[in-house]
């Protein structure tokens, strides 16, 4: 790290603030949305071309689709916030030296939990707690916890022990070392896990329709149940587009939120 | 109805679904490894092609599995074909990415030393670069396989193979005594598949990674 | 003189996107069995030059002739199998055991397995590693110095006539480096390879080289000559600056003391342990006990001083630097040299040193001094 810094051309003070504000090239920001918009337009035209029967017409209205989209975003948004609130503090706790004795047990649990099917959790919660968005969100939170939790632990553990020592060496308390040194340095890894969780949630939320949680998944299921291919395809395509779009937004957020100099 | 009664009725079905689950995951991982490693080898020297391959396989993994299953339904019908295809596509990102990262990470002087003793480019790849990158490539394959274990469950919605069927049966028989048994058996079976794969990959790593690279 | 074994003719390398050539129209001849050192500041293109010999870097223009054959367009893989190559840390394959590393070239050359195993052991023996202990190890289970030895063993396995070494001893600590250098020189006396050796370390170049090419920017050879001549007579300012201050002093360790440099001082024979009774014959006399010189007897302002000195043995291993060391260390008026039998051969005065340097530099026959047994068989401690 020090060699690259020493070889880098000196940054003059005037232009330094400019370099601090991160400007992604416009192409990187807008390509994905433009492609998705064009895809949506093509989907719209394709549906328009077709002779829709009464069932199809009833489902494929703007209102219905926007409502499904809204429900989907609520499912994803609420569950993602839940994941952040649970997984990050838990990850911090697990990375503290006091948690070291239980680390192997936690690891073993994480390995087992890794293959718990999110579909299974949704069905299990529907069967035991009941149908509806609320219980689906519980299932979403649990199934998306893992990537954020393990990335938080990994992000904090990858930090050089010498760096932490140096921080306490200049008189920081343990809390300050965590806030000022460890967390900022772990941010990129945590964000990567969060991005995975968001994409994961978009997908699992689709299945949540089976537990009566609504969302774009319900468009797909209605299409499957009524045997209307157009409806299924519209639902599936919009879900796919939403996932790609949210992944893109998460990627941009990742770029902007990661600390300078990494 | 007790669980043992449930077992006596459905135990055989569950075993079959268990076998199917393991099979579809292994098959998709194998296909994904062939395609993914070959893609990684083809692009790793070219930065733009590497970025493109990672981006493309990344988009594939982003698409919700239910959406991908039903989109493939129109082309491939119900059952195994859409599920196996979708799972293969999902497995690509970790494998492609780790193949590229692993091969790009091989120490340049080591590759040069291989060239300097007269190894042809192909031999260098097979004898030096891939073996050295193998721990990372194998990690990618393991991550893919474990990812597929849970994703395969959703395949039941399009009548795909595996333990997702038990979960889906539970959902469809909601309100009956067997519903919970069925869902729990499916979930438990899938976790066991995951554990078996974890152990299998540990053994595979022990057997195939040179001791000069591990420990 | 015979034809050079390696001839580089007008060799030029331009990397794409860089206007200035990395190597510009270089001519260099290397004779059979000699060690040619390429030494210069980092980034001067010396490594690029060396890598063109085995075509790890393809020359943009120019010719490479090895043993009378133009190999500029030969199949590079086949060419490389006949050129040993050693880099820092040995460039070993981390996933292969020591024996597979050493056998790598032999397998490429399709040696039968029955011949490979004994050859591997022979090579490990040659570089001073016990085969039974080391052949099944992986590179990471070796020390830096051992890895370097395995690297040399691998390069030598197929008995190539040429070896290229790129900073081979750069990554080991100074004591181990010294051992490896000495051993390599001992080895070279056995194997007589034609060697091109890249280093940035002038001391290493002086020590190892039969001839040194001082390389400047774009691989322009600023001076190509025997070490002592370069040290004594830098051809231009670039070489002078590169050598730094006191370059001449380094030349001293390269020049052997010969009998014709010596002058005679008066000597007095005394009975053992009875120096005080000796008759003084001048300001400084060599004291002999039973015919063996033991020190100086000097007279300064009427005071007699006895100065015990351990004489130097005349021979190939004794250089001007040793003599100068004795004078400075002991404060002796001159260095005392003895012959094989331990009898006084003569004394080397300070004024003889510059004369000897000038004469050695002027003669073209200066060659690296051979090593003593003690030096070359020095046991390596880096286990």
């Amino acid at each position: 790290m020090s060699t690259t810094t020493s070889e880098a051309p000196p940054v003059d003070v005037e232009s330094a603030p400019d370099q601090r504000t991160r400007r992604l090239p416009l192409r990187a920001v807008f390509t994905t949305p433009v492609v998705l918009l064009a895809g949506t337009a093509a989907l719209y035209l394709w549906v328009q071309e077709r002779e829709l029967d009464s069932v199809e017409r009833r489902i494929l209205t703007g209102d219905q689709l926007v409502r499904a989209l809204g429900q989907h975003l609520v499912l994803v948004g609420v569950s993602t916030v839940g994941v952040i609130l649970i997984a990050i503090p838990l990850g911090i706790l697990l990375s503290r030296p006091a948690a070291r004795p239980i680390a192997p047990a936690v690891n073993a649990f994480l390995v087992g939990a890794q293959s718990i099917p999110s579909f299974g959790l949704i069905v299990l919660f529907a069967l035991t707690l009941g149908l509806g968005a609320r219980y689906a969100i519980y299932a979403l939170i649990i199934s998306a916890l893992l990537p954020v939790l393990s990335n938080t632990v990994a992000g904090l553990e990858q930090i050089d022990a010498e760096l932490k020592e140096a921080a306490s060496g200049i008189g920081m308390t343990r809390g300050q070392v965590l806030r000022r040194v460890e967390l900022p340095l772990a941010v990129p890894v945590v964000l990567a896990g969060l991005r995975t969780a968001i994409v994961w949630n978009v997908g699992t939320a689709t299945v949540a329709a089976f537990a009566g949680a609504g969302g774009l998944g319900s468009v797909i299921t209605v299409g499957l149940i009524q045997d209307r291919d157009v409806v299924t395809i519209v639902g599936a395509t919009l879900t796919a587009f939403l996932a790609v779009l949210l992944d893109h937004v998460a990627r941009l957020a990742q770029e902007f939120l990661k600390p300078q100099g990494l | 109805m007790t669980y043992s009664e449930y077992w006596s009725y459905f135990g055989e079905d569950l075993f079959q679904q268990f076998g199917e689950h393991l099979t579809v995951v292994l098959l998709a991982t194998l296909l994904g490894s062939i395609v993914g490693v070959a893609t990684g080898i083809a692009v790793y020297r070219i930065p733009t092609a590497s970025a493109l391959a990672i981006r493309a396989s990344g988009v594939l993994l982003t698409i919700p599995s239910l959406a991908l299953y039903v989109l493939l339904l129109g082309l491939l019908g119900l059952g195994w074909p859409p599920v196996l295809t979708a799972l293969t596509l999902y497995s690509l990102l970790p494998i492609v990415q780790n193949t590229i990262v692993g091969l790009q990470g091989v120490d340049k002087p080591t590759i040069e030393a291989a060239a300097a003793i007269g190894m042809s480019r192909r031999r260098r790849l097979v004898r030096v670069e891939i073996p050295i990158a193998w721990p990372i490539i194998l990690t990618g394959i393991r991550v893919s396989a474990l990812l597929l274990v849970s994703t395969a469950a959703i395949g039941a919605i399009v009548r795909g193979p595996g333990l997702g069927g038990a979960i889906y049966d539970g959902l469809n028989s909601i309100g009956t005594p067997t519903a919970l048994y069925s869902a729990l058996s499916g979930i438990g079976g899938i976790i066991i598949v995951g554990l078996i794969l974890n152990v299998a990959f540990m053994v595979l790593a022990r057997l195939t990674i040179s001791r000069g690279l591990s420990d | 003189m015979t034809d050079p074994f390696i001839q580089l003719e007008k060799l030029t390398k331009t990397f794409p996107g860089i206007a200035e050539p990395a190597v510009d129209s270089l001519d260099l001849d290397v004779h059979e069995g000699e060690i040619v050192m390429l030494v210069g500041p980092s980034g001067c293109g010396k490594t690029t030059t060396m890598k063109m010999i085995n075509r790890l870097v393809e020359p943009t223009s120019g010719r490479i002739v090895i043993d009378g054959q133009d190999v500029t367009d030969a199949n590079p893989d086949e060419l490389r199998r006949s050129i040993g190559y050693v880099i820092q840390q040995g460039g070993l394959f981390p996933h292969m055991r020591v024996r597979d590393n050493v056998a790598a070239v032999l397998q490429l050359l399709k040696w039968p397995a029955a011949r490979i195993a004994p050859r591997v052991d022979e090579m490990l023996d040659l570089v001073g590693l016990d085969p039974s202990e080391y052949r099944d190890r992986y590179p990471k289970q070796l020390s830096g110095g051992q890895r370097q030895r395995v690297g040399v063993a691998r390069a030598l396995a197929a008995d190539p006539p040429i070896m290229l070494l790129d900073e081979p001893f750069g990554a080991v600590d100074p004591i181990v480096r010294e051992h490896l250098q000495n051993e390599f020189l001992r080895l070279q006396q056995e194997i007589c390879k034609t060697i091109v050796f890249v280093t940035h370390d002038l001391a290493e170049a002086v020590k190892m080289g039969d001839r040194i090419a001082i390389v400047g920017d774009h691989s322009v050879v600023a001076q190509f000559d025997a070490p002592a001549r370069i040290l004594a007579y830098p051809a231009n300012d670039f070489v002078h600056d590169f050598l730094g201050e006191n370059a001449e002093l380094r030349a001293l360790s390269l020049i052997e003391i010969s009998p014709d440099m010596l002058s005679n001082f008066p000597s007095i024979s005394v009975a053992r342990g009875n120096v005080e009774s000796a008759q003084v014959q001048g300001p400084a006399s060599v004291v002999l006990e039973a015919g063996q010189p033991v020190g100086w007897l000097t007279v300064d302002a009427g005071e007699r001083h006895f100065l015990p000195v351990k004489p130097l043995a005349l021979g190939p291993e004794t250089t001007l630097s040793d003599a100068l060391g004795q004078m400075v260390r002991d404060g002796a008026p001159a260095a005392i040299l003895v012959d094989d039998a331990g009898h006084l051969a003569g004394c080397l005065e300070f004024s003889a040193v510059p004369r000897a340097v000038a004469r050695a530099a002027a003669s073209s026959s200066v060659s690296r001094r051979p090593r003593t047994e003690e030096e070359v068989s020095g046991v390596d401690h880096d286990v």
Side-chain angles (χ1 to χ4, degrees):
Chain A
M1 220 197 242
S2 58
T3 50
T4 49
T5 350
S6 63
E7 279 168 16
V11 179
D12 73 327
V13 185
E14 290 300 314
S15 69
D18 265 4
Q19 297 203 337
R20 281 183 54 88
T21 50
R22 227 172 315 230
R23 295 218 177 98
L24 289 169
L26 285 181
R27 207 164 58 89
V29 177
F30 287 111
T31 308
T32 306
V34 166
V35 169
L36 291 176
L37 212 59
T40 313
L43 184 70
Y44 178 77
L45 291 176
W46 177 73
V47 174
Q48 289 296 309
E49 287 283 297
R50 296 180 63 113
E51 297 255 324
L52 298 180
D53 63 24
S54 64
V55 176
E56 288 164 349
R57 266 202 303 274
R58 191 159 44 75
I59 303 166
L60 295 178
T61 63
D63 279 358
Q64 290 272 20
L65 292 178
V66 168
R67 201 161 60 92
L69 181 68
Q71 288 169 338
H72 210 101
L73 287 174
V74 168
L75 286 172
V76 173
V78 174
S79 58
T80 305
V81 170
V83 166
I84 293 172
L85 291 179
I86 298 171
I88 294 178
L90 197 58
I92 292 171
L93 282 179
L94 287 174
S95 69
R96 294 302 90 191
R100 203 149 291 157
I102 59 161
V106 172
N107 276 334
F109 172 76
L110 293 184
V111 166
Q114 191 176 318
S115 39
I116 295 176
S118 49
F119 179 48
L121 281 180
I122 284 179
V123 170
L124 189 65
F125 280 27
L127 293 178
T128 52
L129 301 174
L131 296 170
R134 188 172 158 194
Y135 305 119
I137 286 172
Y138 294 165
L140 289 179
I141 291 175
I142 294 176
S143 64
L145 273 181
L146 211 56
V148 183
L149 181 62
S150 51
N151 276 35
T152 305
V153 174
L156 289 170
E157 276 178 356
Q158 80 179 343
I159 296 165
D160 210 341
E162 282 177 33
L163 199 62
K164 285 187 257 184
E165 252 172 53
S168 5
I170 60 166
M172 288 193 193
T173 64
R174 275 161 72 175
Q176 283 170 327
V177 175
L178 177 66
R179 279 198 307 281
R180 304 246 194 101
V181 180
E182 295 184 65
L183 285 180
L185 286 174
V187 162
V189 186
V190 177
L191 285 177
L194 201 55
R195 187 177 151 201
T196 308
I198 291 172
V199 173
W200 213 305
N201 276 339
V202 177
T204 315
T206 318
V207 186
F210 287 93
L216 288 168
S218 61
V219 182
I220 299 176
T221 46
V222 169
L224 285 175
I225 293 164
Q226 309 267 4
D227 201 17
R228 294 295 192 284
D229 284 355
V230 192
V231 177
T232 312
I233 289 170
V234 168
T237 311
L238 288 180
T239 318
F241 285 180
L242 179 67
V244 174
L245 184 68
L246 286 183
D247 179 54
H248 179 69
V249 172
R251 198 161 62 96
L252 294 182
Q254 214 180 337
E255 284 295 316
F256 275 97
L257 291 176
K258 78 179 172 199
Q260 303 282 341
L262 290 176
Chain B
M1 185 163 159
T2 63
Y3 192 65
S4 63
E5 281 171 328
Y6 170 79
W7 252 102
S8 62
Y9 283 118
F10 297 102
E12 220 167 286
D13 290 354
L14 282 172
F15 267 114
Q16 198 200 329
Q17 286 171 332
F18 182 86
E20 284 174 2
H21 206 98
L22 200 56
T23 309
V24 77
V25 167
L26 287 177
L27 213 53
T29 307
L30 183 68
L31 290 173
S33 301
I34 294 169
V35 177
V37 172
T39 307
I41 288 172
V43 300
Y44 81 100
R45 289 175 208 265
I46 314 157
T48 49
S50 299
L52 192 71
I54 290 173
R55 184 93 184 97
S57 46
V59 171
L60 283 174
L61 190 56
T62 307
I63 297 173
S65 42
L66 181 60
L68 193 54
Y69 289 142
V70 299
L71 288 176
L72 290 169
L73 202 70
L75 300 170
L76 302 168
L78 285 167
W80 278 77
V83 174
L84 186 59
T85 310
L87 292 182
T88 304
L89 294 176
Y90 280 133
S91 74
L92 290 178
L93 178 68
I95 299 173
V96 169
Q97 186 163 303
N98 280 31
T99 304
I100 290 172
V101 169
L103 288 173
Q104 284 177 345
V106 178
D107 200 28
K108 293 289 166 285
T110 306
I111 303 175
E112 192 170 86
I117 65 167
M119 285 194 190
S120 64
R121 192 165 166 157
R122 189 196 183 86
R123 202 178 174 98
R124 242 146 50 207
L125 185 69
V126 174
R127 292 290 306 278
V128 177
E129 295 179 63
I130 292 176
I132 293 175
W134 182 245
I136 297 175
I137 298 176
L138 189 64
T139 301
I141 295 175
R142 195 193 73 217
V143 168
S144 284
L146 292 171
L147 183 78
L148 299 190
V149 171
S150 57
T151 313
I154 300 173
I157 295 167
V158 293
R159 312 256 169 80
L163 287 160
I167 297 172
Y168 199 41
D169 287 346
L171 184 69
N172 287 334
S173 53
I174 190 163
T176 70
T178 59
L180 197 57
Y181 293 152
S182 197
L184 283 174
S185 306
I187 295 171
I190 288 170
I191 292 173
I192 294 171
V193 171
L195 293 175
I196 289 174
L197 284 178
N198 256 309
V199 172
F201 272 99
M202 258 155 56
V203 173
L204 197 61
R206 187 65 55 85
L207 292 179
T208 60
I209 294 174
S210 158
R211 282 213 304 114
L213 300 172
S214 56
D215 306 337
Chain C
M1 188 159 277
T2 54
D3 276 345
F5 197 64
I6 305 172
Q7 282 174 279
L8 307 183
E9 293 176 10
K10 303 242 166 305
L11 214 52
T12 299
K13 177 66 192 181
T14 311
F15 287 105
I18 301 166
E20 302 251 297
V23 178
D24 195 1
S25 195
L26 174 99
D27 290 304
L28 193 79
D29 290 348
V30 182
H31 295 289
E32 190 159 10
E34 74 171 338
I35 299 180
V36 165
M37 308 293 294
L38 300 181
V39 58
S42 65
C44 69
K46 56 191 190 293
T47 298
T48 306
T49 301
M50 192 195 70
K51 285 180 181 170
M52 280 194 279
I53 298 174
N54 66 353
R55 307 243 317 277
L56 281 176
V57 171
E58 288 290 352
T60 312
S61 63
R63 254 171 32 110
I64 306 155
V65 179
I66 293 178
D67 199 12
Q69 278 191 308
D70 187 335
V71 297
T72 322
D73 297 311
N75 177 328
D77 292 334
E78 277 162 30
L79 172 71
R80 289 171 195 154
R81 288 170 201 172
S82 63
I83 299 178
Y85 185 72
V86 185
I87 58 175
Q88 215 171 75
Q89 288 283 325
L92 301 182
F93 304 132
H95 59 299
M96 293 184 188
R97 292 174 195 275
V98 165
R99 60 174 144 83
D100 297 318
N101 266 289
V102 177
V105 195
L106 305 177
Q107 283 161 355
L108 288 170
L109 293 169
K110 305 210 161 39
W111 278 37
R115 274 181 67 207
I116 289 180
R119 179 65 175 173
V120 167
D121 287 1
E122 188 190 338
M123 286 298 113
L124 290 176
D125 264 333
L126 188 67
V127 297
L129 292 174
D130 177 6
S132 61
E133 190 177 347
Y134 292 102
R135 75 164 89 79
D136 288 329
R137 291 203 189 180
Y138 284 100
K140 65 168 189 200
Q141 298 165 316
L142 303 175
S143 70
Q146 291 165 343
R147 257 177 255 169
Q148 207 56 63
R149 286 154 197 261
V150 175
V152 172
R154 181 176 71 184
L156 286 172
D159 203 15
I162 296 171
M163 283 182 76
L164 306 179
L165 295 95
D166 186 3
E167 303 261 6
F169 309 134
V172 290
D173 68 72
I175 296 166
V176 177
R177 185 184 311 149
E178 178 98 28
H179 279 300
L180 290 170
Q181 287 170 340
N182 291 338
E183 267 187 62
F184 189 79
L185 288 171
R186 187 254 308 160
L187 197 61
Q188 166 67 354
Q189 285 182 335
E190 261 176 61
I191 59 183
C192 291
K193 301 295 181 193
T194 305
I195 292 169
V196 178
F197 190 134
V198 165
T199 183
H200 67 272
D201 176 4
L202 185 66
E204 182 167 67
V206 169
K207 176 171 186 174
M208 307 293 286
D210 293 312
R211 289 195 294 162
I212 299 176
I214 308 270
V215 179
D217 280 349
H218 314 308
S219 242
V220 171
V221 176
Q223 190 171 4
F224 186 26
D225 213 328
R229 286 178 57 90
I230 288 180
L231 290 171
Y233 291 124
N236 50 42
D237 287 349
F238 176 82
V239 176
H240 188 268
D241 291 347
F242 183 74
L243 300 177
E245 296 299 314
N246 305 326
E248 297 80 1
L249 284 182
R250 292 187 229 245
L252 297 177
S253 64
L254 296 172
I255 300 165
E256 166 193 333
I257 299 172
S258 58
D260 55 328
M261 296 174 192
L262 304 180
S263 45
N264 289 315
F265 274 73
S267 61
I268 26 178
S269 294
V270 298
R272 192 172 294 275
N274 197 10
V275 176
E276 290 308 310
S277 69
Q279 280 291 310
V280 185
Q281 297 188 348
S285 321
V286 179
V287 179
L288 304 175
E289 277 183 8
Q292 313 260 346
V294 291
W296 292 95
L297 193 61
T298 56
V299 179
D300 185 18
E303 291 271 328
R304 290 152 57 106
H305 296 283
F306 174 65
L307 186 66
V309 164
K310 188 170 177 292
L312 299 167
L314 205 53
E317 68 275 18
T318 307
T319 65
L320 291 180
S321 148
D322 300 321
L324 213 54
Q326 194 186 75
M327 288 184 243
V328 172
R329 192 169 50 245
D330 301 337
I336 302 174
L337 287 115
V338 294
D339 59 20
D340 290 346
H343 297 302
L344 181 65
C347 298
L348 187 90
E349 289 180 273
F350 182 78
S351 60
V353 174
R355 275 202 308 275
V357 171
R359 198 186 53 180
S363 95
S364 59
S365 63
V366 174
S367 67
R368 196 184 57 245
R369 70 194 167 98
R371 265 66 196 172
T372 63
E373 263 318 294
E374 189 190 39
E375 255 182 322
V376 297
S377 60
V379 186
D380 197 352
H381 301 291
D382 65 308
V383 183

